[in-house]
Amino acid sequence: MVSKLRASSPFVQRHVVPCISRMTYLAGQRQILAGASSSDLRPPSPFPSPWYTGCCRRSYGSKTKIELDPPTPTFPTTAPPPIAQYLRNSLTGIFDPATNPNNVEFCLSFLGTSSGSATMHRNASCTALRLGGMTYLFDCAEGTNRQLLFSRIGISSISRIFVSHLHGDHVYGIVPLVLSIQVAAKLAKQAMERNPRRGRKRRSPTMMEERPTLEIFGPPGLYNYIAMTLALSCAKLNYLNVVVTELVGGREERGQTTNTAGGLGNGRRGRRNVFLSHYPEVETGLLKKGYLEKNNEDVWIISSPQPIDEKLIENEMLIQENGFRELPNEVNKSFDRRLFIKAAELDHLSGVQTFGYSVEELTPPGIIDAEKAKSLGIQPSKKYSLLKCGIPVTNDDGSAIIEPSQVLTQTFRARKFAFLPDHRRIPPPMAELCANADVLIHEATLSIKDGIDKVKIRGHSTAYNAGLAGKNFGCKVVVLNHFAATSSNEENVDEIVQEALDGNGGVSQVVASYDFMELWVPRGGFEFDVCQQTEADRQGLNNNDDNAVLSCLFPDDKIDSQV
């Protein structure tokens, strides 16, 4: 039986209303967007109507029905910016068909948007890239496990974790998450054994008979951190295969060194990183270790799929049991999907090796007009796959060459996103990885008002630099992330967004992230107009405003390594 409580009762005022208020805040906080003021957009709500107008029922199993006086709704006074249609909430149970919630081909979910420590409304760093049934995590702060429980992201869908650096607010949640993924894998295996037909319908490796594998990438020392934590906490890793690949050979790999006085210093000479030579290796369960060297361009190539060509399509390995050919660039291949994944170093703090990452898909196949293809003499066959991928073919009788443009009704470009965690400067290799990204996730820990000295000492960037980076890299959308604890109210966030807009000059769409915000990228990427900057324009900006561009693009902006 549902009990009714009046909003004026002391119990409701003291216990229930604050709880609902916090639920509403966690459900979206605010969508602060480029071109929109604080009152233009309201946060996504956990209640059925986007404009909360009265009686509602609490979720999370509660049966208490609360009647509140409906507030006077306020509606946007200006048209929302173009990016607004691609924002939605990722909380479980909030299903708004208008936000296209089933489109997870290339979708970014923000599970933690705070900086060094969590706040009441923001967890520490964690960003998820959802790829049609497969999920990549970028950083994994303490509390990520709980954030996942509130989101629509299945723990068993996580196949790779990318760690930027070993500061606690980016790595303390990784071991609990590994154990949770193992539990989810075991439960999935048991479910498959009870219902074998269910297992055949899903592509997730947790539904297969073999043990699933979780891949983790990060700086040297990551393996030992995970192994020591598992060993000292007596945790058993006995079902999930975990492969930790350390990105070695970087500029900051040596870490802190000994100076002439015998203490710790930041010189370039001295003993190597403690995790590379002076720390005992720990072996535990199914945890394995690997290394990945950088290439001549100072970039770590984590994944580089074979380009789609006629030779690949002819490969018999692509022929499935049903006779159809599935290509690596299919957007709904889940765990079989192939992407370009690269990493490069960022300048955060001396001795703290920090990586940024970029993820780019293969060019998706186009849409073919089957009737037109038949009229040109091509019956349904592997030639359709060639045409979808932009490769010309001969018709069935060999009398003519059919160009893709003759039968394709729509083509798509590859989507790309770049992740820039804590840093004070973006070296050229990482700048190249960010070029022309659909989404650039950039920290906004500091403000330009803090000054260049604070940026140097703390190793963090500003919101102005986030906007400037998006402008110079030609990015469609700049998402501000990693907010300081002081950025807790609307006025502070408004100032941060405005600062980023000042740096961006209207080139990109600018979004301030919040916990459980989700940004989905349509097939073919965003179509917002972006003004491409020339190198001369960039150098002009670089020479005119040292405070603004300290953490941005160019190798000429050297930062004293002794800071």
Side-chain angles (χ1 to χ4, degrees), residues 458-533:
R458 293 190 57 184
H460 285 285
S461 188
T462 67
Y464 187 96
N465 283 325
L468 186 61
K471 176 181 179 180
N472 290 332
F473 296 150
C475 301
K476 303 284 188 177
V477 179
V478 176
V479 181
L480 305 178
N481 195 19
H482 202 267
F483 294 96
T486 54
S487 305
S488 56
N489 56 50
E490 295 184 3
E491 291 75 14
N492 294 139
V493 179
D494 279 338
E495 292 177 2
I496 292 172
V497 172
Q498 186 57 52
E499 183 178 311
L501 290 172
D502 293 341
N504 186 262
V507 172
S508 313
Q509 299 284 300
V510 177
V511 182
S513 64
Y514 57 84
D515 284 17
F516 302 111
M517 184 185 90
E518 199 163 74
L519 170 64
W520 63 279
V521 184
R523 191 179 303 183
F526 293 120
E527 297 299 331
F528 311 132
D529 292 331
V530 173
C531 300
Q532 299 292 339
Q533 289 279 312

Side-chain angles (χ1 to χ4, degrees), residues 24-79:
T24 306
Y25 197 93
L26 288 175
Q29 301 180 13
R30 299 172 52 255
Q31 294 179 3
I32 304 173
L33 308 170
S37 63
S38 302
S39 60
D40 284 343
L41 294 170
R42 302 185 68 85
S45 169
F47 308 123
S49 172
W51 307 101
Y52 173 60
T53 56
C55 183
C56 63
R57 181 173 298 179
R58 288 180 59 195
S59 57
Y60 307 107
S62 172
K63 296 184 178 180
T64 302
K65 189 176 181 181
I66 305 166
E67 296 178 357
L68 301 175
D69 296 331
T72 302
T74 58
F75 296 91
T77 57
T78 60

Side-chain angles (χ1 to χ4, degrees), residues 98-209:
T99 61
N100 201 6
N102 293 321
N103 188 327
V104 291
E105 292 178 3
F106 204 96
C107 175
L108 290 158
S109 295
F110 296 85
L111 300 174
T113 57
S114 181
S115 56
S117 59
T119 65
M120 182 179 294
H121 303 300
R122 293 183 186 271
N123 198 55
S125 298
C126 184
T127 303
L129 175 61
R130 303 175 67 189
L131 297 161
M134 173 176 62
T135 302
Y136 294 166
L137 289 189
F138 293 84
D139 287 334
C140 188
E142 181 181 4
T144 297
N145 245 345
R146 192 171 186 272
Q147 298 291 90
L148 285 167
L149 295 177
F150 287 113
S151 76
R152 290 195 292 267
I153 301 173
I155 289 182
S156 61
S157 71
I158 299 172
S159 60
R160 284 176 170 173
I161 301 175
F162 301 90
V163 176
S164 62
H165 60 294
L166 296 182
H167 278 165
D169 59 315
H170 296 258
V171 77
Y172 280 170
I174 196 166
V175 173
L177 181 60
V178 167
L179 297 175
S180 295
I181 294 174
Q182 176 175 253
V183 171
K186 288 181 178 179
L187 294 176
K189 176 68 179 301
Q190 294 172 4
M192 189 191 71
E193 291 174 348
R194 290 194 298 267
N195 187 0
R197 296 187 62 184
R198 179 186 175 192
R200 297 194 191 102
K201 296 180 181 179
R202 298 188 60 183
R203 303 286 298 178
S204 169
T206 57
M207 286 305 211
M208 304 300 178
E209 294 184 0

